[in-house]
Amino acid sequence: MSLVMTTHGLMDESQLRRVDGGHDNENETISWVEYYIGDEMVHRSAHVVLKKGIGMENIFGPQG
């Protein structure tokens, strides 16, 4: 038994319809999972992996 935190509280995953998705490009890989009761989305979670580092110059701008 696997529990999922939903907008209706904790529910057994077997009571829900699971939909997986994602996309990939040169900068990032994103995956997500959504759970539904009928047509109502009751949970969504996402995972993002950056392929390129974010340098300090991108955060603070050029120095000097």
Side-chain angles (χ1 to χ4, degrees):
M1 179 172 86
S2 179
L3 296 176
V4 177
M5 179 55 76
T6 72
T7 57
H8 299 282
L10 283 174
M11 296 186 72
D12 189 303
E13 185 176 13
S14 66
Q15 298 175 297
L16 306 168
R17 179 172 53 94
R18 178 182 171 141
V19 177
D20 293 283
H23 79 266
D24 183 47
N25 63 37
E26 65 187 37
N27 297 313
E28 64 204 10
T29 301
I30 300 175
S31 60
W32 62 83
V33 61
E34 300 169 340
Y35 288 96
Y36 292 84
I37 298 173
D39 291 334
E40 178 188 6
M41 183 190 313
V42 294
H43 173 92
R44 177 188 283 161
S45 57
H47 182 77
V48 178
V49 176
L50 297 177
K51 294 181 180 179
K52 298 178 181 179
I54 300 175
M56 295 307 286
E57 64 277 359
N58 293 332
I59 297 171
F60 295 109
Q63 303 295 307

